[in-house]
Amino acid sequence: MNEFLEIIKNRRSIRSYQDKQISDSDLEKIIEAGIYAPTSMNQQKWHFTVIQNKTLLDRMVHSIRENIMNLKIPFLSERASEPGYHTFYNAPTVIVISGEDSANSIQIDIGLAAENIALAACSLDISSCVITSSGFLFAASEGEQWKQELGIPSGYSHICSLALGYKKGENPDAPPRNKEVVNYIK
Ligand SMILES: Cc1cc2nc3c(=O)[nH]c(=O)nc-3n(C[C@H](O)[C@H](O)[C@H](O)COP(=O)(O)O)c2cc1C
């Protein structure tokens, strides 16, 4: 298998990180990979907030947990009240990706950017996890304040975020893939 296909198969969602920060030069390569993703009509209506401030990340998690608990959805509350719960798994770098509200197929654009970021990171031995539960940060009345603090442009909304860093321990096994999802017409 060529190296790129191996990276695709070996990328795992990692949920435990070392404190060690990734270098600025690796971060730059990872962000560049993100913005080289294709976009509908080349619109590039996305925004990336890179957060490497632990105090801010912990404040975000505190607010996310509070919003989740207030929703009173049992499986979410159960997860958020687990000891050590941290939306970003204590990763030292988090990238919040937002997209323009009226842009065409913006969720697809941002999904492609997120995958480019995850694969570029993996190629540099940096682990990642795509996260959408970060969206609960914006679920209460303080959502607009958070948007301002994170520098999310007006008219843009959170789509997903990525935790990035060096994993603790080994990669988990890949969750099994359902291969019965393809039909070939020749
Ligand atoms: C759109 C999307 C949202 C996700 N949201 C979360 C999340 O909020 N928290 C989390 O721990 N993992 C999240 N994941 C990671 C998935 O759980 C993970 O990709 C899946 O279990 C397959 O595992 P793998 O990435 O190791 O192959 C998300 C993945 C995607 C694509």
Side-chain angles (χ1 to χ4, degrees):
M1 206 186 311
N2 76 38
E3 202 183 336
F4 185 65
L5 295 178
E6 260 177 49
I7 288 167
I8 289 175
K9 285 195 86 173
N10 291 335
R11 179 215 53 80
R12 290 278 68 74
S13 292
I14 294 301
R15 299 187 173 89
S16 181
Y17 291 88
Q18 301 174 28
D19 293 337
K20 181 184 167 194
Q21 188 54 277
I22 64 175
S23 71
D24 286 350
S25 80
D26 281 349
L27 178 62
E28 208 176 296
K29 290 173 196 146
I30 289 167
I31 293 289
E32 190 171 40
I35 63 177
Y36 265 81
T39 56
S40 174
M41 298 179 292
N42 192 30
Q43 59 190 349
Q44 302 180 52
K45 296 283 180 68
W46 48 28
H47 180 84
F48 301 81
T49 304
V50 180
I51 309 161
Q52 294 186 312
N53 179 312
K54 183 162 170 47
T55 309
L56 174 57
L57 289 171
D58 289 347
R59 273 180 52 225
M60 289 166 69
V61 170
H62 182 82
S63 193
I64 290 167
R65 186 202 274 128
E66 220 169 63
N67 291 347
I68 289 176
M69 299 310 279
N70 287 339
L71 285 172
K72 302 195 189 316
I73 299 170
F75 86 94
L76 287 174
S77 311
E78 219 170 274
R79 200 173 290 174
S81 52
E82 277 170 12
Y85 168 82
H86 196 282
T87 321
F88 306 113
Y89 306 105
N90 295 297
T93 295
V94 170
I95 304 175
V96 174
I97 317 182
S98 50
E100 199 199 45
D101 296 333
S102 60
N104 195 41
S105 305
I106 191 66
Q107 300 245 357
I108 296 176
D109 290 357
I110 286 176
L112 292 167
E115 178 68 339
N116 270 16
I117 285 173
L119 293 177
C122 189
S123 79
L124 298 165
D125 286 325
I126 293 168
S127 295
S128 66
C129 188
V130 175
I131 292 165
T132 48
S133 49
S134 43
F136 289 113
L137 183 62
F138 309 96
S141 55
E142 299 81 35
E144 271 311 309
Q145 270 162 262
W146 277 114
K147 276 190 179 181
Q148 279 186 18
E149 186 164 355
L150 300 187
I152 294 176
S154 147
Y156 281 56
S157 299
H158 163 282
I159 308 280
C160 73
S161 56
L162 285 110
L164 289 169
Y166 294 98
K167 63 176 181 263
K168 273 188 186 160
E170 293 306 308
N171 259 9
D173 290 338
R177 263 43 179 185
N178 175 13
K179 305 256 169 95
E180 308 302 315
V181 291
V182 186
N183 70 308
Y184 296 91
I185 302 174
K186 294 194 180 181

